Amino acid sequence: MDAQVVDKCTIFLALVGSRAYGIHDKNSDYDKKGVLIPPSKYLFGTEIFEQFCDYPGEDKVIFDFKKVVNLIADNNPNMLDLLFSPEKCILTLKRPWEIIIENRDLFLSKRCRHTYSGYAFTQLRKLDDHRRFLLNPPKVKPERKDYGLPDVSIFPTAQLKAVAYAAVREFIVEEDKGNFINELDDAYSTYVMPIFDKFIKPEFRTLALDNLQVGIKAQAHTLRSLGASYIKDEYLEAATKELKFYSAYTEWQQYQFWLKNRNKARAELERKFTYDTKHAAHMVRLIRMCKEILETGKVNVDRTNIDAEELKAIRYNGIWSYQELVDYARKMDDIAEQLYRSSTLPELPDTYKIKDLYTSICEEHIRSTADKT
């Protein structure tokens, strides 16, 4: 599908990011996101369309209508931003998306507790990583020989997983096991769920996730039953070395990527305030929006007259210390958990109504476009 066809099929387009949030400055980009209903061959045929971004010199992405509807139902923060775009930011609005806006309360649910907090803590992890790179960067590229390892691992991948688990579980102190589980939960929201969104039909996602969790639990039970005593000490020692090397090598790769891709102006702010102020502002905004949605059922994308000036002060002037950011995130996460229990939002969106809404919009759109041809 080329840009001309994409633009013709686009039913919604808006400015997003800092300009939608009201926290931009004169140098901020004009990022745009939109939605299209693709031609019939994509709706009914074997051809697949998910998104299009081939606009030279323009930060613009157009997403498939079905993909967007599913992500909004999952309370994906970026897609809820689209659904609740400020009027001043809307560039294209056609009837199919107007209908979605008229029914947007249908999509909100308590899922926002996990999606917004998960996204916010992803920003916090990036803050921590970048701060570590800034204050204590890795000096040299790790080599296997530095860890007493041969050039090629002695473990097949599956076997390494088993001995690595046996080695690692001995290192987790009792009081950190909760944090370990929380990190796994974050990994689910950040990495696993987007894969499920992309490849698994919406009606089967819950079942697929349940099956995955059952499989993981069964595997973990098997590994625990082996015990450290079942695995030879030299394998445990080698596995421990492999893990240390892997951790150091991954850190080095991430550091190199960070160095190569840093925005110069952003890097200068980072050096000045010892943390990435852009990630910080996004984190604060996300956890506040999470609280607002759970409390009021409203998605306040435009932060003007709410907290835009404070967010800009964090973003451009670093008015909060790094520790203040960390403490605030933890405090707000506790509040979000309390609100999650008391919120009047439904536990999950009504997927049947959303499916019917999606189908009726597509059918009407096909009829209306057919009448014009």
Side-chain angles (χ1 to χ4, degrees), residues 174-294:
E174 189 65 34
E175 56 267 29
D176 282 338
K177 287 183 178 178
N179 293 331
F180 181 70
I181 297 300
N182 288 336
E183 289 290 333
L184 288 180
D185 288 342
D186 287 343
Y188 263 84
S189 63
T190 306
Y191 301 108
V192 177
M193 290 311 300
I195 296 173
F196 275 43
D197 290 338
K198 183 175 182 180
F199 294 108
I200 298 177
K201 294 179 180 179
E203 60 268 30
F204 297 126
R205 284 184 196 151
T206 301
L207 177 62
L209 186 58
D210 287 344
N211 287 342
L212 175 65
Q213 290 173 330
V214 169
I216 290 173
K217 288 177 181 177
Q219 184 184 43
H221 179 74
T222 300
L223 291 172
R224 287 192 193 99
S225 68
L226 291 176
S229 60
Y230 182 83
I231 301 171
K232 292 182 179 179
D233 288 341
E234 59 265 33
Y235 286 123
L236 280 176
E237 183 180 356
T240 302
K241 291 179 180 178
E242 289 280 3
L243 287 170
K244 288 180 179 178
F245 167 73
Y246 176 77
S247 177
Y249 188 73
T250 300
E251 178 89 347
W252 172 261
Q253 287 182 311
Q254 292 173 343
Y255 175 63
Q256 294 302 315
F257 180 85
W258 175 73
L259 282 179
K260 183 179 179 181
N261 293 279
R262 296 173 81 197
N263 173 280
K264 289 184 178 180
R266 188 170 171 181
E268 181 57 36
L269 287 173
E270 196 170 22
R271 279 191 290 270
K272 183 176 181 180
F273 300 113
T274 73
Y275 66 82
D276 189 320
T277 57
K278 185 174 182 178
H279 284 317
H282 281 316
M283 183 198 72
V284 173
R285 174 185 58 80
L286 284 161
I287 52 183
R288 287 179 176 175
M289 289 179 71
C290 178
K291 177 180 179 291
E292 291 164 3
I293 298 169
L294 289 169

Side-chain angles (χ1 to χ4, degrees), residues 350-367:
D350 191 327
T351 54
Y352 293 104
K353 286 185 179 180
I354 292 173
K355 188 184 299 183
D356 288 343
L357 180 66
Y358 167 81
T359 302
S360 65
I361 290 173
C362 288
E363 288 175 345
E364 177 58 33
H365 181 72
I366 292 168
R367 281 195 297 268

Side-chain angles (χ1 to χ4, degrees), residues 112-113 290-296 336 339-340 343 345:
C112 68
R113 158 72 180 105
C290 178
K291 177 180 179 291
E292 291 164 3
I293 298 169
L294 289 169
E295 224 169 12
T296 68
L339 289 171
Y340 175 78
S343 175
L345 287 175

Side-chain angles (χ1 to χ4, degrees), residues 110-138:
K110 288 186 177 183
R111 279 180 172 173
C112 68
R113 158 72 180 105
H114 304 291
T115 55
Y116 276 81
S117 290
Y119 196 3
F121 276 86
T122 296
Q123 301 297 307
L124 184 60
R125 283 199 301 277
K126 289 179 180 178
L127 267 173
D128 186 57
D129 289 343
H130 295 180
R131 180 175 164 84
R132 187 172 66 254
F133 293 156
L134 191 68
L135 301 180
N136 188 28

